[in-house]
Amino acid sequence: MKFQPRASHFIDGEYVEDTNGAAIEVIYPATGEVIARLHSATPAIVEQALNSAKNAQAAWAALSGTERGRILRRASDIMRERNYDLSVLETHDTGKPIQETTVADATSGADALEYFGGLAASLTGEHIPLGGGDFVYTIREALGVCVGIGAWNYPTQIACWKGAPALACGNTMVFKPSETTPLSALKVAEILVEAGVPKGVYNVIQGYGDVGASLVSDPRVAKVSLTGSVPTGRKVYAAAADGMKHVTMELGGKSPMIVFDDADIENAVSGAILGNFYSSGQVCSNGTRVFVQKGIKEAFLKRLSERLAHAKIGDPMDEDVSFGPMVSENQMNIALGYIEKGKAEGARLVYGGERIERDGYFVQPTVFADVTDNMTIAREEIFGPVMSVLDFETEEEVMARANDTEFGLAAGVFTNDLTRAHRIVAGFEAGTCYINTYNLAPVEAPFGGSKMSGVGRENSKLAINHFSEMKTVYISMNDVEAPY
Ligand code: NDP
């Protein structure tokens, strides 16, 4: 098998296998064919990975930030040099079109390695002068062993978005990819070692949720960073709380996108397309509730349908293809189930709405109009190519309806009224907001959710605070005064 890795796990700088672990079949979503066979980690593998991360941590943290940063930047360069091969692997792992994976996966991972590699040398504490000559200084310290647990939609990116800031701060990591997409994180580990990351600093082990759970509850682990669904986030957060561990939770969403009647319709349609159908809709921050002001609703739907007819659906390895399969049969069935619910609850099907008759797990880009706030498709995260278009009349009304959700990951507004745009984003209950665009996530900008969509932020300088902590040192320049 062309994509078969040398072994399932990467621990202490080496590929490691334990065939006693439960079987994991990796399926190419465009054809349904098995492209690799792996094994879930046994308790012995989990033990080996955690020990290796624990043993490697002190020496890694003792390097200067400049040295750690140089290694991470070298890894970034290697990743960019291999972008095409890594993209081919990612396309087979996830089914996402090569047109997307060549620009949004290894490249995004490389950005994270470059950015946090660049920051590593400037991570410091501070000097705080006090009265009478006393002062405090703070030491920024690594947390220790960090666990990363990934979802299946952006496996390379997630492995790097978690690994790069963790390693920059002097932590070590055990990363567990989703068992649906286990291949690319192994390549990230290989590249890191090739770039000079010492053995044991970045380990990858495979497994189902039980493996993730055993990592989270282990006392050697200081921090858990999860990208996944809200139900999993709740379990992982609770398990981490038991050991008082640090957490970052990047969870699901049902984000609103508001289109006012003064907006540039072409741009709004582009935003709605990117925010609903990129990666076949399998993006956490998607703006799946598209609120369109009444006067422009039919014009918006007409242009949307015309533009969707130009989506090139097919073999994701074809560079002209812009819309590929869903990641798995299971995820396809979830999306098809929601489409049936949309039809049954009375939403108007404007585009798509069916499975595509060909090998693999293809679902048509689907648009429902006349969706109301209480319909299931407007309330629950679908994680598939299903857009709900809702009507609104006034700004006040749409603001309240946009926020009427347990989620708070992202939100967007399209309008040419400058003050209204800023008023709207000020009112959004969401971690990441967009004005006249949607779904961009550059490494320089904080990314993460509020409400049920998460805790903490990834990317940007803020991520450093989530992978390090401050030690306070008080220095007295005076005699000690005691009362007796
Ligand atoms: P899941 O929540 O099902 O799984 C996420 C990861 O957690 C997987 O690796 C999973 O392993 C693991 N896991 C499951 N149960 C446990 C447990 N009890 N303890 C520890 N780990 C566990 O999410 P999906 O993989 O289905 O991904 C889709 C979800 O991810 C969507 O809800 C989406 O919104 C969210 N997401 C959020 C993003 C963000 O940045 N906010 C970005 C991308 C996706 P296994 O798969 O083997 O069960």
Side-chain angles (χ1 to χ4, degrees):
M1 277 179 285
K2 196 171 156 202
F3 296 98
Q4 181 69 35
R6 288 214 296 280
S8 301
H9 319 289
F10 193 96
I11 301 173
D12 214 24
E14 313 276 348
Y15 273 99
V16 179
E17 190 57 273
D18 181 348
T19 52
N20 292 319
I24 296 175
E25 283 194 336
V26 190
I27 291 170
Y28 182 33
T31 61
E33 106 197 73
V34 177
I35 57 165
R37 291 182 205 280
L38 284 76
H39 293 275
S40 178
T42 55
I45 289 287
V46 173
E47 190 59 23
Q48 210 178 322
L50 287 170
N51 273 339
S52 130
K54 183 83 190 160
N55 293 339
Q57 200 262 321
W60 175 244
L63 291 183
S64 72
T66 307
E67 286 171 297
R68 285 197 304 272
R70 189 183 307 133
I71 294 170
L72 295 180
R73 291 202 314 280
R74 205 180 291 140
S76 162
D77 290 343
I78 299 174
M79 208 166 242
R80 284 192 213 287
E81 280 158 23
R82 301 204 188 137
N83 183 38
Y84 187 75
D85 289 348
L86 292 167
S87 304
V88 169
L89 180 70
E90 190 81 323
T91 287
H92 283 81
D93 221 1
T94 62
K96 295 190 292 181
I98 192 83
Q99 198 186 84
E100 290 188 14
T101 53
T102 46
V103 298
D105 292 277
T107 52
S108 165
D111 283 353
L113 290 163
E114 188 173 351
Y115 178 84
F116 288 107
L119 278 187
S122 59
L123 303 180
T124 57
E126 61 181 339
H127 169 264
I128 305 164
L130 301 167
D134 287 6
F135 61 97
V136 158
Y137 68 90
T138 57
I139 306 173
R140 185 179 289 280
E141 293 189 333
L143 300 175
V145 176
C146 300
V147 161
I149 301 178
W152 39 256
N153 57 346
Y154 282 81
T156 308
Q157 182 189 84
I158 294 171
C160 295
W161 280 20
K162 298 189 188 310
L167 269 51
C169 292
N171 303 285
T172 55
M173 176 160 273
V174 177
F175 185 78
K176 187 202 86 67
S178 164
E179 91 284 350
T180 310
T181 54
L183 301 178
S184 38
L186 292 169
K187 289 289 167 198
V188 172
E190 265 184 49
I191 288 171
L192 286 168
V193 167
E194 195 178 328
V197 167
K199 292 175 173 188
V201 168
Y202 188 87
N203 309 277
V204 174
I205 64 172
Q206 310 296 344
Y208 297 89
D210 60 324
V211 172
S214 67
L215 290 171
V216 173
S217 59
D218 193 279
R220 281 164 288 194
V221 172
K223 147 113 202 184
V224 180
S225 177
L226 169 81
T227 297
S229 61
V230 170
T232 302
R234 247 196 218 109
K235 281 189 231 163
V236 171
Y237 199 175
D242 203 42
M244 211 57 83
K245 299 176 204 287
H246 298 250
V247 295
T248 301
M249 295 280 144
E250 293 294 353
L251 309 177
K254 189 76 195 176
S255 301
M257 181 186 297
I258 303 176
V259 183
F260 283 96
D261 60 10
D262 65 346
D264 178 313
I265 291 211
E266 252 353 86
N267 277 339
V269 168
S270 297
I273 288 173
L274 284 177
N276 281 271
F277 302 121
Y278 201 73
S279 302
S280 290
Q282 303 165 119
V283 180
C284 50
S285 48
N286 271 355
T288 47
R289 291 183 295 138
V290 182
F291 291 91
V292 181
Q293 205 161 17
K294 257 194 177 149
I296 57 161
K297 177 175 117 179
E298 292 309 327
F300 177 90
L301 290 173
K302 181 165 173 286
R303 268 313 278 153
L304 182 61
S305 299
E306 285 165 2
R307 299 263 307 266
L308 286 175
H310 293 128
K312 185 143 191 264
I313 302 173
D315 174 4
M317 281 303 295
D318 175 344
E319 288 186 4
D320 291 330
V321 162
S322 52
F323 186 91
M326 302 201 61
V327 75
S328 64
E329 189 171 12
N330 182 42
Q331 198 60 30
M332 174 185 73
N333 288 333
I334 291 172
L336 292 172
Y338 276 109
I339 290 172
E340 288 315 309
K341 274 194 191 128
K343 291 175 186 169
E345 291 180 17
R348 169 163 62 109
L349 184 64
V350 173
Y351 198 90
E354 305 287 341
R355 179 176 180 179
I356 297 171
E357 287 312 324
R358 55 175 293 150
D359 285 346
Y361 314 126
F362 289 82
V363 176
Q364 291 176 325
T366 297
V367 179
F368 283 105
D370 305 338
V371 176
T372 55
D373 295 346
N374 291 328
M375 288 182 186
T376 312
I377 54 169
R379 302 221 65 83
E380 296 181 12
E381 183 181 48
I382 299 175
F383 227 60
V386 185
M387 181 197 297
S388 293
V389 177
L390 304 94
D391 310 346
F392 77 93
E393 291 190 45
T394 69
E395 180 182 324
E396 198 181 22
E397 166 212 341
V398 77
M399 191 78 259
R401 290 170 61 200
N403 286 333
D404 181 20
T405 167
E406 61 170 355
F407 298 107
L409 189 54
V413 57
F414 283 84
T415 177
N416 276 327
D417 181 334
L418 192 63
T419 49
R420 174 159 66 192
H422 291 291
R423 202 162 53 232
I424 290 281
V425 293
F428 275 146
E429 295 168 0
T432 308
C433 296
Y434 298 96
I435 296 176
N436 292 335
T437 188
Y438 204 80
N439 252 3
L440 304 173
V443 69
E444 298 86 349
F447 181 81
S450 53
K451 293 158 82 175
M452 292 302 283
S453 292
V455 175
R457 292 292 179 266
E458 296 200 292
N459 290 342
S460 79
K461 288 183 218 156
L462 284 185
I464 296 299
N465 290 333
H466 297 290
F467 280 104
S468 60
E469 64 188 349
M470 287 301 190
K471 178 181 277 173
T472 301
V473 184
Y474 190 112
I475 292 95
S476 172
M477 303 296 281
N478 301 289
D479 291 336
V480 179
E481 279 179 30
Y484 52 85

